[in-house]
Amino acid sequence: MAQGVVSGFGAGLIYAPCVAVVSQHFSRKRTLVMSLVTSGIPLGGIIHPIMLNHLLNGTVGFEKGVRASAGFVSALLLIACLSVRTRELPVSTVSYTVVARKCFREVLFVLMTVGATLFQIGFYFPMFYLQLDSTKHGIDVNFSFYSLSILNAASFIGRCTAGIIATYAGVLNFTIVSTLACSAIIISMIALGDMVSVVLLGLVYGYFSGVYIALIVPLMTVLTPDLSELGARIGICFTFTAFSALLGGPISGALLGSQYKWWIASLFNGLLSLVGSLIFVVMRLIIYRRGINGSPSIAGKDT
């Protein structure tokens, strides 16, 4: 209950406000800064599981190990909370419901939300099942444990570099590249069979998944004409995409079954992610046809 509900509720309350607040302080290089902020997540994903594994399976034991982990996380959260400062912006005169109605009348916002929701159903498959997939293919258990650390290390690099590359390629353009790459890699998990394939899949998927996570909020920012509404828009979009993480894992588990039919789950998640990716492509075509291709944040040369 604590892990599934309370921690998830807390994570939702922390993530969206943090990236929204950071965006208030920068009018230039906003995409770069926001992508750097999101890089903290995979950095923790590299360190924390390894630390917790040594605590739980070492001399410390489960009870003290969990307490040490909770204290470590609490100390870092305290530092983060004390560091957050809002910037005074013009107060929006419209309510949350009015912002919601406005969002659902905007074709680009609706397409972005639908595309992200569909894409993220398959997006979490490697994160949830790469370690199990590796183990079931006869790869050493200790090595399989570090497969997620490899993925998170590549994700850290992807998030750090996403803002730099998106400055020249455009936020939406680079988002499309990352989602198409992730979809192809999920399908290619059918070929996983040895340590080399695990490392390659972890590195490549980690990088492009990091790029996607780093750019999804900047993409919302680009599509938000009034930044005072950004927090509400992030909340609305994330309300829908949260169901992706909720549904993706159980659906994949049901498709795997007791016989672990990896090709079925990989193909399903890869194709579903590809559908989400194609919706981002449709967004790009609409932007091009509307003649707003010159928008620097979308087409490149973000300032």
Side-chain angles (χ1 to χ4, degrees):
M1 187 72 175
Q3 289 294 320
V5 178
V6 180
S7 63
F9 186 72
L13 289 175
I14 292 168
Y15 183 77
C18 284
V19 291
V21 167
V22 169
S23 69
Q24 296 178 355
H25 293 272
F26 297 88
S27 57
R28 299 180 67 251
K29 306 297 181 185
R30 183 181 288 130
T31 298
L32 174 60
V33 173
M34 294 174 77
S35 65
L36 290 175
V37 169
T38 64
S39 67
I41 298 172
L43 185 61
I46 300 168
I47 299 169
H48 202 86
I50 297 173
M51 179 195 77
L52 198 57
N53 184 53
H54 285 285
L55 288 173
L56 299 183
N57 298 318
T59 56
V60 176
F62 179 82
E63 186 176 346
K64 291 182 180 179
V66 171
R67 288 176 180 172
S69 174
F72 179 63
V73 171
S74 298
L76 293 176
L77 280 174
L78 179 61
I79 296 170
C81 289
L82 293 175
S83 302
V84 173
R85 292 287 185 277
T86 58
R87 181 183 179 186
E88 191 172 331
L89 291 173
V91 179
S92 178
T93 57
V94 295
S95 66
Y96 188 88
T97 54
V98 173
V99 175
R101 291 196 196 104
K102 186 191 294 185
C103 289
F104 293 123
R105 287 196 296 265
E106 295 178 10
V107 176
L108 292 177
F109 182 86
V110 171
L111 287 174
M112 180 193 66
T113 303
V114 173
T117 301
L118 291 175
F119 172 76
Q120 288 181 206
I121 292 176
F123 174 78
Y124 292 102
F125 177 66
M127 300 179 187
F128 291 159
Y129 289 99
L130 179 62
Q131 185 176 345
L132 179 62
D133 193 357
S134 175
T135 304
K136 289 298 180 180
H137 280 88
I139 299 170
D140 181 68
V141 175
N142 292 323
F143 178 82
S144 298
F145 171 80
Y146 287 100
S147 61
L148 290 181
S149 294
I150 294 170
L151 191 150
N152 279 312
S155 180
F156 175 74
I157 298 171
R159 297 187 195 207
C160 288
T161 58
I164 300 171
I165 299 174
T167 298
Y168 300 96
V171 176
L172 180 55
N173 294 339
F174 201 25
T175 300
I176 292 171
V177 171
S178 66
T179 55
L180 290 173
C182 285
S183 302
I185 296 162
I186 293 170
I187 295 174
S188 70
M189 284 183 68
I190 297 172
L192 187 147
D194 53 25
M195 286 188 181
V196 175
S197 60
V198 172
V199 172
L200 286 175
L201 283 168
L203 289 174
V204 181
Y205 189 81
Y207 179 82
F208 284 108
S209 64
V211 169
Y212 169 77
I213 292 295
L215 294 182
I216 189 64
V217 175
L219 180 58
M220 293 183 214
T221 307
V222 169
L223 299 175
T224 302
D226 182 1
L227 284 182
S228 65
E229 298 177 357
L230 180 59
R233 287 171 176 260
I234 292 174
I236 292 167
C237 182
F238 281 4
T239 298
F240 289 94
T241 58
F243 287 98
S244 303
L246 179 66
L247 297 173
I251 291 173
S252 298
L255 290 173
L256 285 173
S258 58
Q259 297 180 345
Y260 295 101
K261 297 178 180 178
W262 294 103
W263 72 271
I264 296 177
S266 299
L267 193 61
F268 171 80
N269 285 287
L271 291 177
L272 195 57
S273 293
L274 182 61
V275 172
S277 304
L278 294 177
I279 293 177
F280 286 116
V281 175
V282 172
M283 284 180 62
R284 190 66 183 86
L285 293 175
I286 291 174
I287 289 170
Y288 178 78
R289 292 197 63 178
R290 286 182 177 179
I292 55 176
N293 187 50
S295 174
S297 296
I298 296 175
K301 302 298 181 185
D302 191 12
T303 55

